Amino acid sequence: MTDVLTQRAAYPTTRMRRMRRDDFSRRLMRETTLTPDDFIYPVFVLEGSGQREPVPSMPGVERMSIDLLVEEAQSIARLGVPAMALFPVTPLSAKSEDAREAFNPDGLAQRAVKALKDAVPALGIMTDVALDPFTTHGQDGLIDAAGYVLNDATVDVLVQQAVSHAEAGADIVAPSDMMDGRIGAVRAALESAGHINTRIMAYSAKYASSFYGPFRDAVGSAANLGGGNKYTYQMDPANSDEALHEVALDLAEGADMVMVKPGMPYLDIVRRVKDRFGAPTFVYHVSGEYAMLKAASQNGWLDERAVVLEALMGCKRAGADGVLTYYAKQAAQWLHQGLGASG
């Protein structure tokens, strides 16, 4: 890059603002584009019929029963959003220490997958593979008497959960638990069960972030977790090199895609991962990021459309192939309206 820059003629022969003067020339040299193809839409599903519950800490986001979720899926498919990520809101009565509801073939997530694939077969359906929605303690895995999350015992349950999702018709299973070795175990089980085309999106660099609070409210795990934390398995926010080790292991074990989570505070990690591995790389624009932008916009402090599209563009520019975002539907609508980020 230095050689290229030194070859440029000096001012006034080179005037960088020439190409910025008009909309047409700005568009001609735009390096990054944002389209509905770039989004995965996370949604929350609950039991019942005709049920819709707002998530107070995420204005505009709702938990929906399967029948209403099907309508939402049809809507985003028409907008060109390629995939939906499914998160179940498990009733308290179905939670247990051993998280057995996670792999119930008639569980909420499994029934939702079947309904969505029947109604909108071309829409990609991604499922969360983790135990926190199903445990009475709110941790992502099984725990011992001291409350420590057990790695290998948890992986055994995650494998059963992932296979149950694949059997229900999930296109992508996404282990978000951060247990060691779970990608290899899930891949082997999927192959053995004949689900050779089920894709794995590994939450490879998932940080122990404070930006997850609204999500935990939405799925009902916050109260169960109480004053606990996930520092012993999610990554330390101070670390960057460690993320590359995690990604390398997951790709070697059979991940088709990798994810960095959260989004904007970790875009340096996205860039390092994409530059190092070149694999399909995704980033999760998480609930806390959504809540901040929404709250500031509702207070009139920010132009919501402008800042959201700028934030999502930043994720793409950092190297992400796609973004999981609660703004997926609204951003797709804005882009279809031709409002984009071209101003």
Side-chain angles (χ1 to χ4, degrees):
M1 180 62 72
T2 301
D3 289 342
V4 173
L5 292 179
T6 57
Q7 292 170 14
R8 294 297 297 265
Y11 171 88
T13 303
T14 297
R15 291 179 180 266
M16 296 297 291
R17 289 182 58 193
R18 285 195 198 105
M19 287 297 289
R20 299 181 198 140
R21 183 181 185 279
D22 297 302
D23 178 67
F24 82 86
S25 52
R26 291 194 297 271
R27 288 160 54 201
L28 283 170
M29 72 169 187
R30 183 159 294 138
E31 300 171 33
T32 305
T33 57
L34 190 67
T35 78
D37 289 339
D38 296 316
F39 304 143
I40 297 174
Y41 187 29
V43 294
F44 303 105
V45 60
L46 49 69
E47 292 284 6
S49 177
Q51 299 297 307
R52 189 186 297 272
E53 295 177 355
V55 179
S57 55
M58 300 175 70
V61 173
E62 297 177 310
R63 310 175 188 98
M64 287 177 276
S65 53
I66 292 175
D67 55 327
L68 299 183
L69 192 61
V70 165
E71 295 177 6
E72 188 77 348
Q74 292 167 335
S75 176
I76 68 161
R78 287 192 294 269
L79 288 167
V81 175
M84 173 181 277
L86 195 62
F87 296 94
V89 182
T90 307
L92 185 59
S93 60
K95 298 187 180 190
S96 62
E97 288 260 340
D98 60 5
R100 59 186 174 275
E101 182 65 15
F103 54 88
N104 178 0
D106 296 317
L108 177 58
Q110 290 83 350
R111 284 182 281 118
V113 169
K114 291 175 184 175
L116 290 166
K117 292 307 295 183
D118 284 346
V120 197
L123 182 69
I125 300 300
M126 175 172 135
T127 56
D128 182 47
V129 177
L131 304 187
D132 51 324
F134 307 97
T135 57
T136 50
H137 44 73
Q139 294 288 356
D140 289 31
L142 308 185
I143 60 175
D144 64 14
Y148 183 75
V149 175
L150 301 167
N151 193 92
D152 296 2
T154 296
V155 169
D156 290 341
V157 181
L158 295 171
V159 166
Q160 296 178 73
Q161 183 185 23
V163 171
S164 76
H165 291 176
E167 289 175 348
D171 301 291
I172 306 168
V173 292
S176 65
D177 56 286
M178 290 299 288
M179 298 298 113
D180 291 333
R182 90 277 202 211
I183 300 301
V186 168
R187 173 57 71 204
L190 291 173
E191 289 286 322
S192 179
H195 300 295
I196 61 172
N197 291 318
T198 302
R199 281 134 283 193
I200 297 176
M201 179 184 287
Y203 285 62
S204 298
K206 182 178 181 179
Y207 285 84
S209 172
S210 298
F211 283 90
Y212 302 150
F215 173 90
R216 291 172 183 165
D217 290 338
V219 297
S221 65
N224 300 96
L225 187 61
N229 61 64
K230 304 188 178 185
Y231 299 156
T232 68
Y233 49 99
Q234 294 178 357
M235 283 185 56
D236 186 333
N239 294 353
S240 176
D241 290 346
E242 184 184 10
L244 301 184
H245 290 292
E246 289 280 10
V247 169
L249 287 167
D250 286 352
L251 289 172
E253 291 177 20
D256 301 290
M257 300 166 272
V258 296
M259 187 196 298
V260 175
K261 182 181 180 181
M264 291 179 68
Y266 296 86
L267 294 186
D268 61 314
I269 309 300
V270 175
R271 172 48 62 193
R272 290 194 70 188
V273 168
K274 191 62 177 178
D275 286 349
R276 174 69 67 89
F277 301 102
T281 302
F282 292 78
V283 66
Y284 202 141
H285 188 245
V286 299
S287 59
E289 297 173 77
Y290 172 91
M292 289 191 302
L293 293 178
K294 180 64 74 170
S297 301
Q298 288 183 334
N299 276 286
W301 299 334
L302 294 173
D303 179 330
E304 185 175 22
R305 180 192 65 81
V307 295
V308 169
L309 292 178
E310 182 178 342
L312 299 177
M313 182 70 79
C315 293
K316 281 293 302 293
R317 191 187 64 248
D321 296 288
V323 187
L324 282 81
T325 175
Y326 301 96
Y327 271 113
K329 181 179 180 180
Q330 194 167 11
Q333 290 170 334
W334 286 328
L335 292 171
H336 276 291
Q337 292 163 4
L339 297 176
S342 61

